[in-house]
Amino acid sequence: MKIGVFALQGAFAEHRTVLQRLGVASCEIRQRADLDGSCDGYILPGGESTVIGKLLHELNLQQPLEELIDRDIPVFGTCAGLLLLAKEVTGKEPTYLAKMDIEAKRNAYGRQLGSFAAKAPFAGIGEIPMVFIRAPYIVKTFGSAQALATLNGKIVAAKQGNLLVTAFHPELTDDTRVHAYFLDMVRRAAQIAS
Ligand code: GLN
């Protein structure tokens, strides 16, 4: 198994460290040639959604990534990655890949003081630590997206088919269970495809 981590901006190195701890190979996706179909799943990290979204478009990565998602290749988006995958973003904010049936609110906890840590239950895992950095939350799911975790009544993780999103940064904690959850999705998708 190999996971491609989009390395355009943001917290991509931390995701690779977690994958390494779980014994899974990964590579960095920086240009069109890196999306050669050799990965079983992809991670869109946190960072700045406007910057990553612009680079995806400018580097001609957006369309091939959309095609991978349409082929049910698993993709895990954290924080900015969640915003990139959302079909709707509250207010006048742009959408990017627009593949997941969620409405996300950007900088939903406030811009400057919006960073904090919390603990909450994650469906199928149990209570996990969550680190939020100028995070979005999910205002609502619709269609076939399902909430996996809520914090103070706000949805902070969701799944739809082979798409997984968290508003928080599991790669910034010592707890590898959300990545292991994604890797299970990747293994199942690979089994179905073979
Ligand atoms: N506030 C950022 C955005 O709008 C997301 C923050 C993060 O990824 N930690 O893209």
Side-chain angles (χ1 to χ4, degrees):
M1 193 202 300
K2 190 166 86 172
I3 303 297
V5 182
F6 281 83
L8 307 178
Q9 188 259 341
F12 53 87
E14 291 83 350
H15 277 290
R16 294 194 69 195
T17 303
V18 178
L19 293 170
Q20 194 179 14
R21 281 180 62 197
L22 290 169
V24 171
S26 69
C27 65
E28 296 186 352
I29 308 294
R30 294 177 178 273
Q31 54 186 343
R32 178 69 185 84
D34 299 331
L35 278 183
D36 57 3
S38 66
C39 292
D40 305 291
Y42 294 88
I43 294 179
L44 279 166
E48 196 54 43
S49 56
T50 49
V51 175
I52 301 175
K54 190 166 174 278
L55 288 170
L56 280 175
H57 182 71
E58 285 177 6
L59 297 167
N60 293 322
L61 290 166
Q62 181 164 338
Q63 198 196 338
L65 175 55
E66 287 174 4
E67 286 169 11
L68 288 169
I69 294 170
D70 291 343
R71 282 173 35 215
D72 271 346
I73 304 294
V75 177
F76 177 20
T78 54
C79 203
L82 176 156
L83 288 160
L84 294 168
L85 285 165
K87 274 192 190 162
E88 294 179 17
V89 183
T90 308
K92 292 198 169 64
E93 300 286 346
T95 58
Y96 297 92
L97 300 159
K99 289 290 183 191
M100 195 165 174
D101 296 340
I102 55 173
E103 178 186 337
K105 184 169 159 52
R106 235 188 129 199
N107 298 317
Y109 298 95
R111 266 185 168 270
Q112 300 304 328
L113 298 171
S115 301
F116 59 95
K119 277 188 177 180
F122 189 106
I125 298 181
E127 191 172 81
I128 58 160
M130 300 175 173
V131 172
F132 293 82
I133 303 172
R134 292 181 301 107
Y137 59 61
I138 297 171
V139 177
K140 64 172 197 279
T141 60
F142 47 93
S144 46
Q146 286 181 333
L148 294 177
T150 57
L151 179 68
N152 300 327
K154 310 293 185 198
I155 303 168
V156 293
K159 180 177 183 297
Q160 177 180 343
N162 283 330
L163 299 177
L164 175 69
V165 290
T166 61
F168 53 92
H169 289 263
E171 79 285 6
L172 298 183
T173 71
D174 283 339
D175 194 312
T176 55
R177 288 177 294 168
V178 177
H179 284 79
Y181 181 98
F182 175 64
L183 296 174
D184 273 346
M185 287 169 57
V186 176
R187 263 180 222 110
R188 280 198 201 114
Q191 273 164 15
I192 290 167
S194 67

